[in-house]
Amino acid sequence: MKHKTWFTLMSILVLASFVLTACGAPATPTAAPPAAAPTTAPQAQPTAVPPTTPPQPTEPPTAAPAAFTPLSVSAPDCNYGSADIPAQIKSIEAVDQYTVKFTLCSSDPAFPSKVAFAAFSITSKAYLDANGGDSVTMSEQPNGTGPYMLKEWVRGDHITFEANPNYWGTPPKDQTVIFRWSDQAAQRLLELQSGTVDGIDNPSTEDFAAIEADPNLTLYPRAANNIFYLGMTNTIKPFDDVKVRQAVAMAINKQRIVDSFYPGGSTVADQFLPPFILPGYTEGLKWYDYDPTAAKALLAEAGFPNGFSTTISYRMVDRGYLPSPDKVTQEIQAELAVIGIKAKIVEEESAAFITNTSDGKEPLYLLGWTGDYPDSTNYLDMHFANSNNKQFGTLFPDLVNEIKTASTLSDAAARQQHYDKANELIKQYVPMVPVAHGGSADVFKSTVEGAHSSPLGDEYFAVMNQPGGQLVWMQSGEPAALWCSDETDGETLRACIQMYDALLSFSIGGTEVQPGLAETWSSNTDLTEWTFNLRKNVKFFNGDILNANDVVATFASQWDAKSPNHKGRTGTFEYFGAFFGAMLNTQ
Amino acid sequence: MAAQLEIPSLPIENIYERRSPAVEALRRLVRHRSAQVGFFLLGILILVAIFAPLIAPYDPTTPLYDVKRRSPPCIHLLGCPADQAQHIFGTDSNFRDLFSRVIFGSRLSLQIGLTTISFAIFIGGLLGAFAGYLGGWLDNVIMRTMDVLMAFPSLLLAIAIVSVLGPGLINALLAIGFVSIPVYARLVRATILSVKELDYVSASRALGASHMSLLFNRILPNALTPLIVRGTLGIATAILDAAALSFLGLGAEAPTPEWGLMLGEERNSVFNAPHLVFFPGVAIMLTVLAFNLVGDGMRDALDPRLRGKNI
């Protein structure tokens, strides 16, 4: 009897401990907060708010058709953001019928690059109001100003675009453009070879040689808007010694890594910035040469003649900048072993890895960065002049100074001077080793005139000409919507830019900012006020004429969380959050 | 004239010859067909493991220069041009000679199998022995705990343990050893329960043998036979489990030449570079097969009901 009680008690204890472990274990991974996600914008309740009395924005009643009533949205002050996502926009106002003015809370030299991005395309105010800013209904009958209009979207199969007869710019060369998609690289190439499509995206690495050998096809390597680097945290011994970091820089055989593990179109990185990001990239500045002997000597000088032991961490996530992380990690481990550094490989779960690196807890790690918009601030400020970011340990004051100074200037040549200095300092201090810019490519039939690839992935079909007037394009996936304010996927954005224009645009196949719906633009000296002068007589597909209120309404639908048009598809408006900071009225 | 009475000498020793059970079992074992195959494979495996540095042409962890990644096997005898370096199994994704890696992998696999099962037999055997001999609430506590452990799928439990301890070969070995314990505990307990009631044990006890002496000198040796059989088969399972853990990235760490890890790293190459998964896979298969065949043979050889029969 006594035994029985004992046994019952014990079994309950054992069971309870199992329950505890079962409940406790899964808590560990979730305990890591999804940190370092500057793109996550607060959720908004789109429909619940009746458009009665919006407290802060002053929205005058709808303009009478004859007289133009300028629209404006403004924040009461610049404190509506949070510590993580600061407020960046003070007001957006229509100055007159064809002039829009943005007032910012802090200076931003990259503002033109940002408003040129496909997610900030402009649609008409009336159309936006009629659809409540819902990306799904707006995908039925898009209302843009671009070279192509939607003819039909057969879900799961294809999208047909036809030329816009009222387009304000050079008329598109082909009457019809058809988008198709397949997630199989082999199938895309097969369709191209058999002639059913005229251009494809992202052929697989193994097929590059065959495509280049085929006279009927032309490969257009896509310049890489990213960087893969080997990060070092200078607060962890022995990486606090600059000689150790320089030795690591000399020990990495970047050419071998790019040749062996990267697809065609990838290049060895000499600096943190990709070469096409100007002002920023320093022409002619080379990284340390691969020299294990010199590296070993430098290591001995730093007091480690026999090397040392450390860890090298990575996450098993394939990104454009790093195609096969596990293989590259092993390669780097072996290269470090040559100079005596014994690195133990640690694979970490992605979110935990990002948290650990940005907290400065990983001595040596493989990470990269994909540019959101082609401007140096998106690369340098984020990494080397951001006191919240401890991924390389403590910041270098003189480097911070150069980068910060450059980001407040508007003159390109003056900015470049500071960036030259900054790049030189990065090379000297070696907070990280830039290894590669991972590339990709698209392929067109050789008969397609004007075919190109774009580093931003926004190929522009209006300048292409396929004999016969119809061009069929096959990409990796189906667009999620045809209104892109709330989209982040390149497959979707590419479809949108065929139909919509933003205030500014990027040069075809490049990243240079050029006029779009705004013919000219200017800013005040401290880069906090940006004024855009719109083109006149730009017609939307539905016949409306573009005016400044359309621009204000389009931006307000993303910025103002209480706007009745703040719906999108998921409601997160990730790019807006990443580019322009906090949203208005999120409480 | 006494008649000489001749007593014919009978071939006594042929009929009544007593051989020790061990010799008897060994005789049956070496005659056992599948055990022969198993021992042959196992012998090769052990030789390869011992002489791995002599057999392997390259270092298993250092990337080679002047070779192509993932190049298919190049064997001079089979017509590979002589100006190319010979790689019998080809090279892997990190420029390493696959043959050398597979050769060195045999060392790890044998070590994994032997250490985990020794650990499991030692702990499990002791637990089972005490539970069976002492009985009572101790028996209940130990065996119900074992039941709970057995209720988990062994690989899942091992994964859970490794996730808590952190990935690594040692932790994987601990985990596999730990999840193998219940099998041996049960086995030993069952044997002891039946043996401890036998007369010779009672006789020993009547002569004043201590509990320890009774358990370890009189009872436990009788539980050895099933343990050996189960242990041999268990090695095969342990090797498979370790390979599975490594495949999932929870076992051996790169660049260790562990077969499961080699499989896991190259699982995307199944179609475009099949040799990278074929050779490590075959190596695992042959090793597990060898242990299974030997274990089978042992079971037949040590079975007292089959004594004297040809098998």
Side-chain angles (χ1 to χ4, degrees):
Chain A
M1 193 59 200
K2 204 178 160 202
H3 286 175
K4 205 151 201 178
T5 334
W6 228 103
F7 164 61
T8 320
L9 189 71
M10 279 309 282
S11 52
I12 288 174
L13 271 179
V14 168
L15 273 178
S17 71
F18 273 103
V19 168
L20 272 181
T21 19
C23 299
T28 339
T30 40
T39 48
T40 322
Q43 292 275 346
Q45 270 85 48
T47 42
V49 183
T52 42
T53 47
Q56 281 105 12
T58 51
E59 280 194 61
T62 341
F68 175 79
T69 319
L71 200 63
S72 86
V73 187
S74 59
D77 50 40
C78 282
N79 303 324
Y80 62 88
S82 62
D84 295 336
I85 314 163
Q88 220 170 315
I89 295 183
K90 177 81 171 59
S91 72
I92 307 171
E93 51 196 310
V95 178
D96 60 42
Q97 200 168 356
Y98 293 108
T99 313
V100 186
K101 192 170 106 184
F102 292 80
T103 310
L104 309 183
C105 292
S106 54
S107 55
D108 187 358
F111 195 74
S113 282
K114 291 177 178 176
V115 298
F117 196 73
F120 308 112
S121 299
I122 306 298
T123 189
S124 94
K125 179 176 184 303
Y127 173 73
L128 204 56
D129 289 342
N131 288 289
D134 186 335
S135 298
V136 178
T137 56
M138 287 170 81
S139 302
E140 295 303 323
Q141 212 175 11
N143 186 31
T145 54
Y148 286 102
M149 320 178 6
L150 179 69
K151 190 174 177 201
E152 61 168 351
W153 179 4
V154 181
R155 299 263 184 325
D157 193 61
H158 69 273
I159 299 178
T160 309
F161 299 102
E162 60 181 354
N164 172 9
N166 299 324
Y167 182 51
W168 53 270
T170 322
K173 301 224 165 68
D174 284 326
Q175 181 60 32
T176 313
V177 168
I178 297 172
F179 270 45
R180 293 178 52 203
W181 45 85
S182 162
D183 57 1
Q184 298 295 316
Q187 191 201 339
R188 291 197 297 272
L189 183 61
L190 200 67
E191 298 245 10
L192 182 66
Q193 282 165 336
S194 66
T196 48
V197 303
D198 305 305
I200 61 165
D201 199 14
N202 287 337
S204 88
T205 313
E206 286 79 30
D207 294 328
F208 272 54
I211 293 168
E212 275 168 342
D214 189 337
N216 297 321
L217 305 179
T218 312
L219 184 82
Y220 297 90
R222 195 174 274 147
N225 183 21
N226 60 34
I227 173 74
F228 158 56
Y229 57 83
L230 178 64
M232 289 173 273
T233 302
N234 66 19
T235 42
I236 299 178
K237 278 183 192 306
F239 295 102
D240 52 341
D241 189 337
V242 68
K243 283 184 181 145
V244 171
R245 301 200 299 270
Q246 286 171 348
V248 171
M250 291 178 191
I252 304 298
N253 191 345
K254 299 192 278 189
Q255 190 67 51
R256 178 172 153 104
I257 292 174
V258 171
D259 289 350
S260 318
F261 302 101
Y262 279 80
S266 308
T267 50
V268 168
D270 280 315
Q271 299 169 27
F272 195 73
L273 292 165
F276 61 84
I277 295 207
L278 291 170
Y281 181 81
T282 304
E283 206 62 53
L285 178 67
K286 290 280 166 229
W287 193 250
Y288 301 89
D289 286 330
Y290 171 60
D291 191 347
T293 332
K296 220 169 156 38
L298 208 54
L299 215 51
E301 220 176 291
F304 299 99
N306 301 318
F308 53 87
S309 296
T310 184
T311 61
I312 179 166
S313 44
Y314 75 104
R315 55 175 177 165
M316 192 60 217
V317 175
D318 278 358
R319 298 303 297 263
Y321 55 73
L322 184 54
S324 37
D326 50 340
K327 310 290 183 308
V328 176
T329 312
Q330 290 189 43
E331 173 67 26
I332 288 176
Q333 180 194 39
E335 285 173 6
L336 291 177
V338 172
I339 65 163
I341 300 178
K342 292 167 281 294
K344 180 173 138 57
I345 293 181
V346 184
E347 185 192 333
E348 288 177 34
E349 191 264 322
S350 183
F353 175 74
I354 296 296
T355 312
N356 286 346
T357 52
S358 51
D359 288 349
K361 287 185 190 149
E362 301 293 341
L364 197 62
Y365 57 91
L366 281 76
L367 192 55
W369 179 258
T370 304
D372 293 316
Y373 52 94
D375 190 90
S376 301
T377 52
N378 188 237
Y379 281 82
L380 297 178
D381 293 47
M382 294 293 286
H383 291 86
F384 304 109
N386 179 355
S387 53
N388 292 329
N389 183 354
K390 297 186 179 55
Q391 69 174 124
F392 304 122
T394 48
L395 301 176
F396 302 95
D398 43 352
L399 179 58
V400 173
N401 189 28
E402 294 297 337
I403 294 172
K404 287 276 186 213
T405 315
S407 70
T408 54
L409 300 173
S410 57
D411 178 45
R415 277 183 84 191
Q416 183 62 46
Q417 277 185 353
H418 288 282
Y419 284 136
D420 285 350
K421 276 257 186 59
N423 290 333
E424 194 71 54
L425 286 172
I426 291 174
K427 183 184 170 186
Q428 188 187 326
Y429 294 143
V430 200
M432 50 82 232
V433 184
V435 181
H437 303 298
S440 57
D442 59 19
V443 188
F444 284 91
K445 283 181 187 163
S446 301
T447 51
V448 179
E449 287 169 31
H452 59 264
S453 64
S454 155
L456 304 174
D458 53 355
E459 286 73 28
Y460 204 59
F461 295 99
V463 299
M464 297 190 195
N465 187 10
Q466 160 74 356
Q470 172 173 308
L471 188 132
V472 185
W473 162 254
M474 189 171 231
Q475 55 184 23
S476 311
E478 180 170 6
L482 291 177
W483 169 243
C484 283
S485 67
D486 192 19
E487 302 299 331
T488 52
D489 178 22
E491 311 290 324
T492 307
L493 295 171
R494 189 186 286 119
C496 283
I497 61 155
Q498 315 303 331
M499 295 185 298
Y500 285 97
D501 296 302
L503 281 177
L504 303 176
S505 65
F506 294 112
S507 56
I508 305 298
T511 59
E512 204 180 310
V513 177
Q514 57 186 26
L517 291 179
E519 253 174 324
T520 56
W521 69 97
S522 58
S523 77
N524 64 352
T525 44
D526 65 352
L527 307 175
T528 53
E529 284 178 29
W530 291 87
T531 312
F532 295 87
N533 304 307
L534 303 184
R535 277 174 213 280
K536 297 182 176 68
N537 295 321
V538 172
K539 239 189 202 164
F540 286 103
F541 300 158
N542 68 359
D544 292 351
I545 304 287
L546 171 82
N547 66 35
N549 282 355
D550 295 324
V551 178
V552 176
T554 306
F555 272 91
S557 73
Q558 301 191 44
W559 181 36
D560 182 0
K562 285 231 168 82
S563 159
N565 297 336
H566 188 80
K567 186 157 193 323
R569 192 166 58 85
T570 60
T572 49
F573 295 94
E574 274 191 44
Y575 267 119
F576 188 90
F579 286 13
F580 302 118
M583 301 194 188
L584 203 56
N585 301 328
T586 41
Q587 281 77 33
Chain B
M1 277 237 352
Q4 286 242 318
L5 199 69
E6 247 186 67
I7 301 167
S9 63
L10 292 167
I12 297 171
E13 63 265 74
N14 282 351
I15 300 169
Y16 296 107
E17 187 193 12
R18 293 277 307 182
R19 281 177 300 213
S20 92
V23 175
E24 176 81 3
L26 197 65
R27 267 167 55 92
R28 276 203 305 263
L29 185 59
V30 295
R31 288 190 191 155
H32 194 280
R33 185 63 66 188
S34 62
Q36 285 171 352
V37 178
F39 274 117
F40 175 72
L41 286 175
L42 198 57
I44 292 181
L45 194 71
I46 292 171
L47 286 180
V48 162
I50 293 173
F51 298 108
L54 299 178
I55 301 171
Y58 299 95
D59 184 279
T61 55
T62 318
L64 303 170
Y65 283 75
D66 64 25
V67 296
K68 267 180 70 186
R69 269 176 93 213
R70 297 147 58 95
S71 59
C74 166
I75 304 169
H76 288 161
L77 280 175
L78 296 181
C80 178
D83 55 335
Q84 252 174 282
Q86 173 160 284
H87 294 286
I88 299 179
F89 289 176
T91 52
D92 77 356
S93 287
N94 274 84
F95 306 93
R96 295 170 298 215
D97 182 48
L98 192 62
F99 179 63
S100 308
R101 283 175 73 72
V102 172
I103 294 294
F104 271 91
S106 63
R107 286 186 157 188
L108 273 170
S109 281
L110 286 184
Q111 287 168 0
I112 289 166
L114 292 176
T115 49
T116 50
I117 294 307
S118 315
F119 173 82
I121 287 183
F122 183 72
I123 306 280
L126 277 185
L127 286 176
F130 283 123
Y133 184 77
L134 298 176
W137 63 267
L138 186 73
D139 184 24
N140 261 329
V141 169
I142 293 179
M143 291 327 287
R144 292 304 81 75
T145 315
M146 294 296 130
D147 285 348
V148 171
L149 282 182
M150 278 198 119
F152 287 93
S154 67
L155 194 58
L156 282 187
L157 185 56
I159 289 174
I161 295 173
V162 174
S163 320
V164 171
L165 297 178
L169 191 54
I170 301 294
N171 290 344
L173 296 190
L174 271 177
I176 297 169
F178 187 72
V179 299
S180 319
I181 288 175
V183 179
Y184 301 100
R186 272 193 172 183
L187 199 64
V188 172
R189 176 176 172 271
T191 325
I192 286 186
L193 280 183
S194 61
V195 171
K196 79 170 179 181
E197 306 299 339
L198 293 183
D199 289 344
Y200 81 94
V201 179
S202 309
S204 276
R205 189 179 289 130
L207 286 172
S210 71
H211 283 304
M212 281 294 147
S213 151
L214 266 182
L215 178 55
F216 288 102
N217 294 338
R218 299 280 172 260
I219 303 177
L220 213 47
N222 264 311
L224 225 52
T225 311
L227 262 189
I228 291 174
V229 172
R230 193 67 193 78
T232 318
L233 293 170
I235 290 177
T237 324
I239 291 176
L240 268 186
D241 281 356
L245 281 183
S246 296
F247 180 89
L248 297 172
L250 297 169
E253 284 155 358
T256 322
E258 209 277 333
W259 292 335
L261 181 66
M262 290 158 75
L263 274 183
E265 282 191 323
E266 299 302 345
R267 56 175 175 260
N268 288 329
S269 311
V270 176
F271 296 112
N272 46 33
H275 63 281
L276 294 179
V277 287
F278 177 75
F279 291 113
V282 166
I284 294 177
M285 192 272 279
L286 286 179
T287 311
V288 172
L289 182 68
F291 277 106
N292 276 338
L293 290 179
V294 169
D296 247 13
M298 281 198 177
R299 190 182 53 212
D300 291 350
L302 293 171
D303 191 337
R305 281 167 298 178
L306 297 173
R307 193 164 289 167
K309 289 184 190 158
N310 279 330
I311 33 174

